[in-house]
Amino acid sequence: MKNSRIFLSPPHMTGNEQHYIEEAFKSNWIAPVGPNIDAFEKEIAEYVGAKGAVAVSSGTAAIHLALSLLNVKRGDRVFCSSLTFVATANPIVYQGAEPVFIDSEPESWNMSPIALEKALSEAYRKLQLPKAVILVHLYGQSAKIDQIQALCDLYKVPLIEDAAESLGSLYKGQHTGTFGEFGIYSFNGNKIITTSGGGMLVSDNLKALERAKFLAAQARDKALHYQHSTTGFNYRMSNILAGVGRAQLEVIDQRVEARRRLYERYKRKLTMLEGIQFMPELQDTTTNRWLTVFTLDSEHSNVLPEQLIMKMSSQNIEARPVWKPLHLQPLFRDCQYFSHRPHEDISKKLFLTGICLPSGSNLTDLEQNRVIACVQDVFEKSVNKEGII
Ligand SMILES: *Cc1c(COP(=O)(O)O)cnc(C)c1O
C-alpha cells in the first residue's frame, strides 16, 4: 500500500447508496423517472434553499437547459467566467451563441466585477448586451455575488450560477447557486458528492423548471400519440443514480467539513514554504474547499508548478494545474475577452502559477502526509541546489 495511487478527488461512498439502489430495483423504477428522482430533487432544493430543482444527466446538461430556458440562440452573446472547466462554456456553443470571456479578480479568483462592468457597458453602447452571464464559483470559492448581481440587474441580464464545484458553499449565509435566475450543480465522479455522473438545475422560477423537465424529456407535447413542436433533449437523471445522490446528500455537511479540514492541515504544514500562497477565502463566505489550491510565486521560489506536479506524479500522487482559462484555449481563440485591468490578466497568472492538491474527503492522514512530504522535499532540494542554505 505504501505507494498506492492518491487521486485528486475520488468518489467517497457512504454504503447507504445500496439501500436506495435496491429500492429502485425492487420497485422496478429502472428509468429516468421514479421516486428517487422526485425525492432527490426535493432534498437538494431544501438543502440549498431553492424553490425547486430538476435532476439531469450532467452539470453540462443543466447549463444547456438554463441557456435554452433563457432563449439563448444563434448569434446571441453570453458572458462567461474565463477561469473554469470547458463544460461551463460548451453549452453556449451548442446554442449557436458566442461566448465572451471575463477575467478573474485576485480576492476570490472568480469573475472580476471590474472586467464585467467594462464588458457590459461596452456591450450596452454597441447594443450587444448578452442574453446571460454565467458565473462560476471556482474550486468551491464563491464569487463576489453582490457586485456581479448588481451589474446584471443594472443591465437587466439574467445570471446563471455554475456552482458545479461549490455545493455546500455559502455567500453571506446563503447557498451558492441560489442567487441567479438559475443555478447548476454537478454530481460527476470527482465532485464533492457524486452520482457517478449527474447534475441539477435549481431555481425559484417553478414555471421555468416545469419547462426544463419538458425539454429534458424530448419536449413531448400533451397528446395520446407522440407529438412534438419544439426540439428537446434526453437529459433526465436515472432513478438508480438519483438513489446514489440521496445517500450522498445525507452526508454533504460532513464532506464539506472533511475537505475544509484537509485544507487547514495543508496550510499549516506548507504555508511557511517560500512563495506558496493558498487560495483565499472571501470575506463573508464559507467555501467547501472542493480542492485545496495554491500558487507559487516565481519571484520568491525556485520551484516551478510543472516540476512539483511531475514529482508528485512520479510518487503516484495526482496533482493538477489550475484550469487553463478559456480565453487561452485554441477552441475559443476568436472570442472576445475582458481582463481585470489593462495588462493585468489574473486568470492567466493563476493558471501559470497554480497547483491543485489531492483533496478527497476520504484522503487519510497518512496519504496527506505523503503529499505534504513530497511538496516539502521538492522545496528543500530546490533551495539546496541554488546554494541558498
Ligand atoms: C464539473 C464541472 C462542470 C460540468 O459538470 P458535468 O456534470 O461533468 O457535466 C461544469 N462546470 C464546472 C466549473 C465544473 O467543474
Side-chain angles (χ1 to χ4, degrees):
M1 290 299 279
K2 188 167 167 282
N3 248 340
S4 61
R5 180 97 173 135
I6 296 178
F7 291 98
L8 190 75
S9 180
H12 184 182
M13 295 293 108
T14 67
N16 206 28
E17 290 82 4
Q18 291 293 346
H19 160 76
Y20 292 105
I21 293 171
E22 251 164 55
E23 249 178 33
F25 272 72
K26 273 194 203 136
S27 56
N28 208 31
W29 283 108
I30 312 296
V33 287
N36 277 335
I37 298 175
D38 299 341
F40 189 35
E41 290 175 342
K42 202 163 149 269
E43 286 156 5
I44 283 276
E46 262 167 33
Y47 173 70
V48 299
K51 289 218 173 103
V54 175
V56 291
S57 52
S58 70
T60 311
I63 298 170
H64 194 191
L65 285 170
L67 293 175
S68 300
L69 293 166
L70 292 172
N71 199 24
V72 171
K73 27 179 217 315
R74 190 159 298 284
D76 286 338
R77 285 147 45 95
V78 175
F79 290 3
C80 180
S81 300
S82 185
L83 190 61
T84 183
F85 181 42
V86 71
T88 308
N90 273 340
I92 302 171
V93 181
Y94 302 162
Q95 289 300 92
E98 187 190 322
V100 172
F101 294 109
I102 312 291
D103 197 7
S104 301
E105 54 80 31
E107 285 174 339
S108 66
W109 295 17
N110 285 310
M111 189 181 281
S112 157
I114 294 172
L116 178 63
E117 178 162 36
K118 192 158 170 256
L120 282 169
S121 67
E122 185 184 300
Y124 178 76
R125 271 185 279 117
K126 292 185 174 169
L127 303 174
Q128 290 188 325
L129 276 174
K131 271 282 183 70
V133 170
I134 307 181
L135 173 66
V136 176
H137 304 297
L138 202 70
Y139 301 128
Q141 167 62 64
S142 64
K144 294 188 167 176
I145 299 178
D146 280 351
Q147 287 99 311
I148 302 284
Q149 200 161 36
L151 286 166
C152 287
D153 289 348
L154 181 65
Y155 289 95
K156 298 192 170 55
V157 180
L159 178 65
I160 300 170
E161 288 177 83
D162 178 348
E165 300 175 0
S166 70
L167 182 63
S169 299
L170 306 172
Y171 179 87
K172 297 189 175 171
Q174 184 180 334
H175 278 270
T176 57
T178 63
F179 290 85
E181 179 77 19
F182 297 103
I184 76 96
Y185 302 104
S186 165
F187 310 114
N188 190 33
N190 61 349
K191 298 304 198 293
I192 192 155
I193 62 170
T194 182
T195 60
S196 74
M200 194 72 77
L201 178 70
V202 300
S203 179
D204 285 341
N205 184 344
L206 295 179
K207 242 178 98 184
L209 291 183
E210 264 319 298
R211 177 132 183 109
K213 283 188 190 175
F214 165 79
L215 289 174
Q218 304 288 22
R220 190 176 164 193
D221 295 337
K222 284 204 171 72
L224 189 61
H225 56 277
Y226 282 85
Q227 169 100 359
H228 304 273
S229 35
T230 186
T231 305
F233 312 103
N234 182 5
Y235 274 172
R236 284 295 260 164
M237 181 182 275
S238 149
N239 187 60
I240 301 172
L241 300 186
V244 175
R246 292 183 71 191
Q248 289 271 293
L249 188 61
E250 286 169 356
V251 296
I252 176 74
D253 291 336
Q254 285 150 257
R255 297 297 186 254
V256 172
E257 242 175 75
R259 289 194 191 241
R260 286 182 62 86
R261 245 192 339 263
L262 282 176
Y263 158 79
E264 292 295 342
R265 191 143 175 271
Y266 274 131
K267 189 170 176 195
R268 216 165 46 242
K269 305 271 184 182
L270 298 175
T271 199
M272 67 289 282
L273 296 176
E274 205 67 47
I276 283 193
Q277 211 150 36
F278 283 85
M279 185 181 195
E281 185 169 36
L282 194 65
Q283 216 187 346
D284 293 327
T285 70
T286 308
T287 157
N288 67 12
R289 292 282 177 198
W290 175 56
L291 297 184
T292 290
V293 191
F294 65 71
T295 56
L296 275 175
D297 180 350
S298 59
E299 279 173 29
H300 294 101
S301 169
N302 301 312
V303 179
L304 296 170
E306 305 90 88
Q307 201 185 340
L308 202 48
I309 291 167
M310 296 298 279
K311 176 71 180 182
M312 288 203 252
S313 171
S314 76
Q315 299 195 0
N316 222 2
I317 298 168
E318 186 188 20
R320 293 262 181 99
V322 159
W323 299 122
K324 179 171 181 174
L326 299 184
H327 74 279
L328 299 175
Q329 298 286 355
L331 174 64
F332 296 120
R333 72 180 152 250
D334 297 329
C335 296
Q336 211 184 354
Y337 173 64
F338 289 86
S339 63
H340 180 55
R341 294 187 198 281
H343 315 298
E344 196 181 5
D345 192 334
I346 302 285
S347 56
K348 183 177 177 186
K349 191 168 157 215
L350 291 168
F351 164 60
L352 292 174
T353 58
I355 295 171
C356 305
L357 294 176
S359 305
S361 47
N362 45 5
L363 192 78
T364 64
D365 279 358
L366 284 176
E367 287 171 328
Q368 196 182 14
N369 288 345
R370 250 176 71 196
V371 180
I372 290 166
C374 182
V375 176
Q376 287 168 336
D377 188 51
V378 173
F379 270 77
E380 270 167 34
K381 293 216 166 96
S382 102
V383 170
N384 284 329
K385 204 167 54 212
E386 296 293 315
I388 294 168
I389 54 170

